[in-house]
Amino acid sequence: MNSVKTDKEFIEFIKMYEEAKRNACYEIACIANRATIDLYWEFGKKISKLSQKAKYGDKIVPELAKWFKDNYPEIKGFDKTNLFDMQKYYELFYNDEKFRALRGQLNWTNTRIIIYRLKSNEERLFYMQLCVQNKLSSRELERFIKSSYYERYLLSPNNIDEKLP
């Protein structure tokens, strides 16, 4: 008599379960990432508006960072550097429709790399699309940027039709 553990249907069931679990974990991570990115966008928007209203010398971001540290010391991600990053994130992209379609599909690490390592919004959008299409890790993204992939793509003769009006 066959053991349940060697039964073909049993093994298929286990494989199906493991794949469903992996997919569910991936979807949960995507939902959590989207919520985090949306939160950072909204914080960036509020910080930007507060900064515009502030008087010279007001330290909006350092005061917010201190407030978070004092009131929610267990929560990470709201230090001075990250709050400034949220503000820059919002200010770079708030009026860019193409960006809005991609917002929330990248993780925060890749978003920060794109914000600080790239010069133009065209280049930023290119790398954002590359990240989304290829599910790039931050190391892979860094490698593409260091290798000047964007510039090589623009110079590629295969892309000439896309570049011509």
Side-chain angles (χ1 to χ4, degrees):
M1 185 169 177
N2 267 351
S3 166
V4 172
K5 291 180 183 175
T6 58
D7 182 61
K8 188 176 180 180
E9 287 181 45
F10 180 79
I11 292 170
E12 288 299 317
F13 177 80
I14 297 300
K15 287 180 182 177
M16 182 186 74
Y17 165 77
E18 288 175 345
E19 184 171 340
K21 183 179 175 187
R22 217 176 5 260
N23 289 341
C25 289
Y26 177 76
E27 286 189 34
I28 289 168
C30 287
I31 291 167
N33 179 65
R34 175 69 189 210
T36 301
I37 294 294
D38 286 346
L39 175 70
Y40 287 177
W41 176 264
E42 289 301 319
F43 269 57
K45 182 178 181 178
K46 293 288 186 194
I47 293 167
S48 181
K49 294 198 186 306
L50 284 171
S51 296
Q52 289 170 3
K53 292 178 186 175
K55 296 175 190 144
Y56 181 78
D58 286 350
K59 297 179 179 180
I60 304 295
V61 171
E63 287 179 23
L64 279 171
K66 183 179 179 340
W67 184 87
F68 274 107
K69 186 178 181 184
D70 292 346
N71 292 286
Y72 297 99
E74 71 281 1
I75 296 178
K76 305 297 179 214
F78 294 96
D79 59 12
K80 186 169 59 171
T81 303
N82 215 27
L83 291 170
F84 274 122
D85 292 347
M86 291 174 206
Q87 180 180 1
K88 183 162 179 121
Y89 171 56
Y90 173 77
E91 289 173 354
L92 274 174
F93 299 117
Y94 75 94
N95 63 355
D96 193 322
E97 290 298 321
K98 292 177 187 173
F99 164 76
R100 287 187 184 162
L102 297 171
R103 194 176 105 209
Q105 296 183 45
L106 270 71
N107 63 42
W108 186 238
T109 303
N110 283 1
T111 301
R112 289 174 73 185
I113 290 168
I114 287 169
I115 288 171
Y116 287 104
R117 295 283 315 276
L118 305 171
K119 296 170 188 79
S120 71
N121 276 1
E122 292 79 19
E123 190 176 9
R124 289 181 182 110
L125 285 167
F126 174 84
Y127 280 107
M128 289 172 131
Q129 290 170 333
L130 188 70
C131 285
V132 169
Q133 290 169 353
N134 298 292
K135 296 180 173 64
L136 297 181
S137 69
S138 55
R139 284 186 182 165
E140 292 169 320
L141 173 60
E142 287 277 8
R143 193 177 71 241
F144 275 104
I145 293 170
K146 285 178 185 173
S147 72
S148 301
Y149 184 72
Y150 175 70
E151 290 82 1
R152 290 184 293 119
Y153 176 83
L154 291 177
L155 296 173
S156 170
N158 296 337
N159 299 320
I160 196 76
D161 292 336
E162 294 176 26
K163 289 179 254 175
L164 294 175

